[in-house]
Amino acid sequence: MKSPLPVRNGVNATRLRLPDEGPWDTALEYILDRFDHVNPQGIGERFDRGEVVGLGGTVLTRETPLTDHTFVWYYRELPVEQRLPVEITILHQDENLLVVDKPHFLPTTPGGMYVAESALVRLRVQLGIPDLIPMHRLDRMTAGILLFSVNPETRGNYQLLFENRRITKEYEAVAPVRPELNLGNEPLTVRSRIIKSRTYLLAQEVEGEVNTETTISLLEQRQTPQGVVGRYRLQPHTGKTHQLRLHMAGLGLGIMNDPFYPVLQPQQPDSYDEPLQLLAKSIAFTDPLSGAESFFESSLQLSGFA
């Protein structure tokens, strides 16, 4: 359902479903009750400014009956955010696709305390492309190749590549070395069932039908003061949340600087000198429009093995 309000400052308007009935006479009364923690004067002023609209762009007033609309859209009051000390590098841009190197610590899309400080909002504002949409996501702590759709008319062609798993991705990671796994000579494919609750921070491997698969290879290793560390190639064949981090930790190869796996660490401020050593290194696919073979590779390197 397309929003009748345009993107503002790189951020989409928020959609809210109104109840079919209840003790509220007007849409305003319901919104005030639902968001009773928000400044009620500010909510009323949004109605006065015409910033709350229904389907088709119909402007709601303070007197609009609750039952006049099923969905309404409005602009959120955004918090003031301090700019994160990381930058996005644009690797490729044409009329259909934008390919960037996302840095560590920057989320792909708005969420929680990060709205303006997300790759999507930064790029929309920087490039003046309000219709920009990510084709996939990287965790906030993961750096590397990220694809965005520029053109809504061709977006579906590229979305089908991801839905049908016709995309080849490779990641790199820095982690300890376990010689007995012999990963330098023979790649290991890990398969398991991973679940993640909306209310629990961590993903978990559980018994049941397999829904994830990752191939892991050791590319090189070196001695450091902290012990032997390796640079690994990770090839995910599925895309569950935290899949690579969990599969590595399950082998006793917890990725360097991972605050979640194998053991959840106490929450700390971001340490920009110690990013998670996980990089989305490359992505390859057959372009659905031109038929050409497309390959994009990150220009970033993992500091743990630099």
Side-chain angles (χ1 to χ4, degrees), residues 271-295:
S271 176
Y272 295 103
D273 294 330
E274 298 180 324
L276 173 70
Q277 294 298 286
L278 180 60
L279 173 68
K281 184 63 176 176
S282 68
I283 193 165
F285 56 91
T286 301
D287 190 282
L289 302 180
S290 68
E293 296 303 316
S294 297
F295 177 80

PDB file of all heavy atoms in Angstrom, residues 271-295:
ATOM      1  N   SER A 271      32.857   0.550  20.052  1.00  0.00           N
ATOM      2  CA  SER A 271      34.304   0.745  20.012  1.00  0.00           C
ATOM      3  C   SER A 271      34.716   0.754  18.549  1.00  0.00           C
ATOM      4  O   SER A 271      34.845  -0.307  17.926  1.00  0.00           O
ATOM      5  CB  SER A 271      35.025  -0.373  20.772  1.00  0.00           C
ATOM      6  OG  SER A 271      36.424  -0.227  20.659  1.00  0.00           O
ATOM      7  N   TYR A 272      34.886   1.933  17.982  1.00  0.00           N
ATOM      8  CA  TYR A 272      35.114   2.053  16.545  1.00  0.00           C
ATOM      9  C   TYR A 272      36.465   1.491  16.121  1.00  0.00           C
ATOM     10  O   TYR A 272      36.686   1.252  14.930  1.00  0.00           O
ATOM     11  CB  TYR A 272      34.965   3.514  16.122  1.00  0.00           C
ATOM     12  CG  TYR A 272      33.549   4.022  16.316  1.00  0.00           C
ATOM     13  CD1 TYR A 272      33.221   4.835  17.396  1.00  0.00           C
ATOM     14  CD2 TYR A 272      32.532   3.642  15.449  1.00  0.00           C
ATOM     15  CE1 TYR A 272      31.920   5.269  17.600  1.00  0.00           C
ATOM     16  CE2 TYR A 272      31.231   4.065  15.633  1.00  0.00           C
ATOM     17  CZ  TYR A 272      30.926   4.876  16.721  1.00  0.00           C
ATOM     18  OH  TYR A 272      29.641   5.286  16.914  1.00  0.00           O
ATOM     19  N   ASP A 273      37.358   1.284  17.065  1.00  0.00           N
ATOM     20  CA  ASP A 273      38.654   0.682  16.757  1.00  0.00           C
ATOM     21  C   ASP A 273      38.600  -0.844  16.785  1.00  0.00           C
ATOM     22  O   ASP A 273      39.575  -1.498  16.409  1.00  0.00           O
ATOM     23  CB  ASP A 273      39.721   1.163  17.754  1.00  0.00           C
ATOM     24  CG  ASP A 273      40.013   2.643  17.622  1.00  0.00           C
ATOM     25  OD1 ASP A 273      39.871   3.171  16.499  1.00  0.00           O
ATOM     26  OD2 ASP A 273      40.371   3.276  18.635  1.00  0.00           O
ATOM     27  N   GLU A 274      37.475  -1.404  17.216  1.00  0.00           N
ATOM     28  CA  GLU A 274      37.357  -2.853  17.341  1.00  0.00           C
ATOM     29  C   GLU A 274      36.042  -3.335  16.731  1.00  0.00           C
ATOM     30  O   GLU A 274      35.181  -3.877  17.417  1.00  0.00           O
ATOM     31  CB  GLU A 274      37.449  -3.279  18.803  1.00  0.00           C
ATOM     32  CG  GLU A 274      38.781  -2.923  19.466  1.00  0.00           C
ATOM     33  CD  GLU A 274      38.836  -3.364  20.913  1.00  0.00           C
ATOM     34  OE1 GLU A 274      37.781  -3.302  21.600  1.00  0.00           O
ATOM     35  OE2 GLU A 274      39.899  -3.785  21.359  1.00  0.00           O
ATOM     36  N   PRO A 275      35.861  -3.148  15.428  1.00  0.00           N
ATOM     37  CA  PRO A 275      34.601  -3.587  14.801  1.00  0.00           C
ATOM     38  C   PRO A 275      34.520  -5.099  14.703  1.00  0.00           C
ATOM     39  O   PRO A 275      35.538  -5.803  14.704  1.00  0.00           O
ATOM     40  CB  PRO A 275      34.679  -2.957  13.403  1.00  0.00           C
ATOM     41  CG  PRO A 275      36.145  -2.870  13.120  1.00  0.00           C
ATOM     42  CD  PRO A 275      36.790  -2.555  14.452  1.00  0.00           C
ATOM     43  N   LEU A 276      33.316  -5.602  14.614  1.00  0.00           N
ATOM     44  CA  LEU A 276      33.096  -7.019  14.331  1.00  0.00           C
ATOM     45  C   LEU A 276      33.847  -7.382  13.052  1.00  0.00           C
ATOM     46  O   LEU A 276      33.699  -6.713  12.021  1.00  0.00           O
ATOM     47  CB  LEU A 276      31.602  -7.289  14.145  1.00  0.00           C
ATOM     48  CG  LEU A 276      31.215  -8.697  13.682  1.00  0.00           C
ATOM     49  CD1 LEU A 276      31.472  -9.707  14.785  1.00  0.00           C
ATOM     50  CD2 LEU A 276      29.758  -8.721  13.235  1.00  0.00           C
ATOM     51  N   GLN A 277      34.631  -8.441  13.109  1.00  0.00           N
ATOM     52  CA  GLN A 277      35.461  -8.810  11.962  1.00  0.00           C
ATOM     53  C   GLN A 277      34.696  -9.694  10.977  1.00  0.00           C
ATOM     54  O   GLN A 277      35.020 -10.860  10.748  1.00  0.00           O
ATOM     55  CB  GLN A 277      36.738  -9.478  12.444  1.00  0.00           C
ATOM     56  CG  GLN A 277      37.652  -8.537  13.228  1.00  0.00           C
ATOM     57  CD  GLN A 277      38.125  -7.372  12.365  1.00  0.00           C
ATOM     58  OE1 GLN A 277      38.976  -7.540  11.495  1.00  0.00           O
ATOM     59  NE2 GLN A 277      37.575  -6.186  12.603  1.00  0.00           N
ATOM     60  N   LEU A 278      33.658  -9.080  10.399  1.00  0.00           N
ATOM     61  CA  LEU A 278      32.814  -9.753   9.411  1.00  0.00           C
ATOM     62  C   LEU A 278      32.533  -8.775   8.287  1.00  0.00           C
ATOM     63  O   LEU A 278      32.086  -7.643   8.526  1.00  0.00           O
ATOM     64  CB  LEU A 278      31.508 -10.223  10.047  1.00  0.00           C
ATOM     65  CG  LEU A 278      30.523 -10.958   9.134  1.00  0.00           C
ATOM     66  CD1 LEU A 278      31.145 -12.226   8.561  1.00  0.00           C
ATOM     67  CD2 LEU A 278      29.236 -11.302   9.893  1.00  0.00           C
ATOM     68  N   LEU A 279      32.812  -9.202   7.054  1.00  0.00           N
ATOM     69  CA  LEU A 279      32.723  -8.335   5.889  1.00  0.00           C
ATOM     70  C   LEU A 279      31.977  -9.039   4.763  1.00  0.00           C
ATOM     71  O   LEU A 279      32.321 -10.173   4.394  1.00  0.00           O
ATOM     72  CB  LEU A 279      34.133  -7.969   5.412  1.00  0.00           C
ATOM     73  CG  LEU A 279      34.259  -7.197   4.097  1.00  0.00           C
ATOM     74  CD1 LEU A 279      33.693  -5.791   4.242  1.00  0.00           C
ATOM     75  CD2 LEU A 279      35.717  -7.149   3.643  1.00  0.00           C
ATOM     76  N   ALA A 280      30.938  -8.387   4.227  1.00  0.00           N
ATOM     77  CA  ALA A 280      30.265  -8.878   3.018  1.00  0.00           C
ATOM     78  C   ALA A 280      31.172  -8.540   1.843  1.00  0.00           C
ATOM     79  O   ALA A 280      31.159  -7.429   1.323  1.00  0.00           O
ATOM     80  CB  ALA A 280      28.899  -8.220   2.867  1.00  0.00           C
ATOM     81  N   LYS A 281      31.973  -9.518   1.422  1.00  0.00           N
ATOM     82  CA  LYS A 281      33.081  -9.255   0.504  1.00  0.00           C
ATOM     83  C   LYS A 281      32.630  -9.075  -0.944  1.00  0.00           C
ATOM     84  O   LYS A 281      33.142  -8.201  -1.656  1.00  0.00           O
ATOM     85  CB  LYS A 281      34.093 -10.408   0.580  1.00  0.00           C
ATOM     86  CG  LYS A 281      35.336 -10.209  -0.267  1.00  0.00           C
ATOM     87  CD  LYS A 281      36.145  -8.997   0.191  1.00  0.00           C
ATOM     88  CE  LYS A 281      37.441  -8.866  -0.600  1.00  0.00           C
ATOM     89  NZ  LYS A 281      38.194  -7.642  -0.225  1.00  0.00           N
ATOM     90  N   SER A 282      31.689  -9.889  -1.411  1.00  0.00           N
ATOM     91  CA  SER A 282      31.306  -9.774  -2.822  1.00  0.00           C
ATOM     92  C   SER A 282      29.898 -10.293  -3.049  1.00  0.00           C
ATOM     93  O   SER A 282      29.337 -11.020  -2.220  1.00  0.00           O
ATOM     94  CB  SER A 282      32.287 -10.550  -3.712  1.00  0.00           C
ATOM     95  OG  SER A 282      32.171 -11.946  -3.491  1.00  0.00           O
ATOM     96  N   ILE A 283      29.349  -9.898  -4.188  1.00  0.00           N
ATOM     97  CA  ILE A 283      28.029 -10.366  -4.593  1.00  0.00           C
ATOM     98  C   ILE A 283      28.032 -10.511  -6.111  1.00  0.00           C
ATOM     99  O   ILE A 283      28.624  -9.692  -6.821  1.00  0.00           O
ATOM    100  CB  ILE A 283      26.933  -9.396  -4.111  1.00  0.00           C
ATOM    101  CG1 ILE A 283      25.548 -10.008  -4.245  1.00  0.00           C
ATOM    102  CG2 ILE A 283      27.004  -8.052  -4.824  1.00  0.00           C
ATOM    103  CD1 ILE A 283      24.485  -9.256  -3.472  1.00  0.00           C
ATOM    104  N   ALA A 284      27.429 -11.583  -6.614  1.00  0.00           N
ATOM    105  CA  ALA A 284      27.413 -11.847  -8.053  1.00  0.00           C
ATOM    106  C   ALA A 284      26.036 -12.341  -8.466  1.00  0.00           C
ATOM    107  O   ALA A 284      25.370 -13.053  -7.718  1.00  0.00           O
ATOM    108  CB  ALA A 284      28.481 -12.885  -8.417  1.00  0.00           C
ATOM    109  N   PHE A 285      25.618 -11.964  -9.688  1.00  0.00           N
ATOM    110  CA  PHE A 285      24.324 -12.383 -10.204  1.00  0.00           C
ATOM    111  C   PHE A 285      24.263 -12.088 -11.699  1.00  0.00           C
ATOM    112  O   PHE A 285      25.068 -11.304 -12.231  1.00  0.00           O
ATOM    113  CB  PHE A 285      23.181 -11.673  -9.483  1.00  0.00           C
ATOM    114  CG  PHE A 285      23.276 -10.168  -9.521  1.00  0.00           C
ATOM    115  CD1 PHE A 285      22.674  -9.429 -10.541  1.00  0.00           C
ATOM    116  CD2 PHE A 285      23.963  -9.485  -8.533  1.00  0.00           C
ATOM    117  CE1 PHE A 285      22.767  -8.048 -10.580  1.00  0.00           C
ATOM    118  CE2 PHE A 285      24.066  -8.096  -8.563  1.00  0.00           C
ATOM    119  CZ  PHE A 285      23.465  -7.379  -9.582  1.00  0.00           C
ATOM    120  N   THR A 286      23.316 -12.705 -12.359  1.00  0.00           N
ATOM    121  CA  THR A 286      23.030 -12.383 -13.752  1.00  0.00           C
ATOM    122  C   THR A 286      21.978 -11.291 -13.771  1.00  0.00           C
ATOM    123  O   THR A 286      20.885 -11.464 -13.232  1.00  0.00           O
ATOM    124  CB  THR A 286      22.508 -13.617 -14.508  1.00  0.00           C
ATOM    125  OG1 THR A 286      23.491 -14.663 -14.445  1.00  0.00           O
ATOM    126  CG2 THR A 286      22.217 -13.285 -15.951  1.00  0.00           C
ATOM    127  N   ASP A 287      22.326 -10.155 -14.375  1.00  0.00           N
ATOM    128  CA  ASP A 287      21.393  -9.032 -14.374  1.00  0.00           C
ATOM    129  C   ASP A 287      20.106  -9.424 -15.093  1.00  0.00           C
ATOM    130  O   ASP A 287      20.138  -9.880 -16.242  1.00  0.00           O
ATOM    131  CB  ASP A 287      22.022  -7.815 -15.050  1.00  0.00           C
ATOM    132  CG  ASP A 287      21.191  -6.564 -14.852  1.00  0.00           C
ATOM    133  OD1 ASP A 287      20.163  -6.422 -15.562  1.00  0.00           O
ATOM    134  OD2 ASP A 287      21.541  -5.740 -13.989  1.00  0.00           O
ATOM    135  N   PRO A 288      18.948  -9.276 -14.420  1.00  0.00           N
ATOM    136  CA  PRO A 288      17.690  -9.738 -15.015  1.00  0.00           C
ATOM    137  C   PRO A 288      17.231  -8.886 -16.194  1.00  0.00           C
ATOM    138  O   PRO A 288      16.358  -9.322 -16.955  1.00  0.00           O
ATOM    139  CB  PRO A 288      16.698  -9.639 -13.848  1.00  0.00           C
ATOM    140  CG  PRO A 288      17.261  -8.559 -12.980  1.00  0.00           C
ATOM    141  CD  PRO A 288      18.749  -8.710 -13.073  1.00  0.00           C
ATOM    142  N   LEU A 289      17.795  -7.699 -16.363  1.00  0.00           N
ATOM    143  CA  LEU A 289      17.395  -6.826 -17.470  1.00  0.00           C
ATOM    144  C   LEU A 289      18.316  -6.970 -18.674  1.00  0.00           C
ATOM    145  O   LEU A 289      17.856  -7.119 -19.809  1.00  0.00           O
ATOM    146  CB  LEU A 289      17.369  -5.366 -16.999  1.00  0.00           C
ATOM    147  CG  LEU A 289      16.444  -5.066 -15.818  1.00  0.00           C
ATOM    148  CD1 LEU A 289      16.523  -3.594 -15.451  1.00  0.00           C
ATOM    149  CD2 LEU A 289      15.006  -5.458 -16.133  1.00  0.00           C
ATOM    150  N   SER A 290      19.623  -6.937 -18.429  1.00  0.00           N
ATOM    151  CA  SER A 290      20.575  -6.986 -19.531  1.00  0.00           C
ATOM    152  C   SER A 290      21.075  -8.392 -19.839  1.00  0.00           C
ATOM    153  O   SER A 290      21.585  -8.652 -20.930  1.00  0.00           O
ATOM    154  CB  SER A 290      21.776  -6.098 -19.211  1.00  0.00           C
ATOM    155  OG  SER A 290      22.530  -6.645 -18.137  1.00  0.00           O
ATOM    156  N   GLY A 291      20.964  -9.295 -18.863  1.00  0.00           N
ATOM    157  CA  GLY A 291      21.505 -10.636 -19.030  1.00  0.00           C
ATOM    158  C   GLY A 291      22.998 -10.718 -18.802  1.00  0.00           C
ATOM    159  O   GLY A 291      23.592 -11.799 -18.893  1.00  0.00           O
ATOM    160  N   ALA A 292      23.625  -9.595 -18.463  1.00  0.00           N
ATOM    161  CA  ALA A 292      25.071  -9.566 -18.227  1.00  0.00           C
ATOM    162  C   ALA A 292      25.399 -10.127 -16.850  1.00  0.00           C
ATOM    163  O   ALA A 292      24.586 -10.040 -15.912  1.00  0.00           O
ATOM    164  CB  ALA A 292      25.593  -8.142 -18.342  1.00  0.00           C
ATOM    165  N   GLU A 293      26.599 -10.698 -16.735  1.00  0.00           N
ATOM    166  CA  GLU A 293      27.059 -11.189 -15.449  1.00  0.00           C
ATOM    167  C   GLU A 293      27.576 -10.007 -14.618  1.00  0.00           C
ATOM    168  O   GLU A 293      28.456  -9.271 -15.066  1.00  0.00           O
ATOM    169  CB  GLU A 293      28.169 -12.227 -15.622  1.00  0.00           C
ATOM    170  CG  GLU A 293      27.713 -13.489 -16.342  1.00  0.00           C
ATOM    171  CD  GLU A 293      26.543 -14.175 -15.646  1.00  0.00           C
ATOM    172  OE1 GLU A 293      26.590 -14.298 -14.403  1.00  0.00           O
ATOM    173  OE2 GLU A 293      25.590 -14.570 -16.343  1.00  0.00           O
ATOM    174  N   SER A 294      27.016  -9.821 -13.445  1.00  0.00           N
ATOM    175  CA  SER A 294      27.385  -8.696 -12.587  1.00  0.00           C
ATOM    176  C   SER A 294      28.153  -9.200 -11.377  1.00  0.00           C
ATOM    177  O   SER A 294      27.774 -10.212 -10.766  1.00  0.00           O
ATOM    178  CB  SER A 294      26.135  -7.944 -12.123  1.00  0.00           C
ATOM    179  OG  SER A 294      25.443  -7.389 -13.228  1.00  0.00           O
ATOM    180  N   PHE A 295      29.223  -8.494 -11.042  1.00  0.00           N
ATOM    181  CA  PHE A 295      30.045  -8.863  -9.888  1.00  0.00           C
ATOM    182  C   PHE A 295      30.514  -7.584  -9.218  1.00  0.00           C
ATOM    183  O   PHE A 295      31.066  -6.693  -9.862  1.00  0.00           O
ATOM    184  CB  PHE A 295      31.253  -9.693 -10.320  1.00  0.00           C
ATOM    185  CG  PHE A 295      32.182 -10.044  -9.184  1.00  0.00           C
ATOM    186  CD1 PHE A 295      31.888 -11.092  -8.314  1.00  0.00           C
ATOM    187  CD2 PHE A 295      33.347  -9.313  -8.964  1.00  0.00           C
ATOM    188  CE1 PHE A 295      32.735 -11.407  -7.266  1.00  0.00           C
ATOM    189  CE2 PHE A 295      34.202  -9.625  -7.927  1.00  0.00           C
ATOM    190  CZ  PHE A 295      33.898 -10.676  -7.075  1.00  0.00           C
TER     191      PHE A 295
END
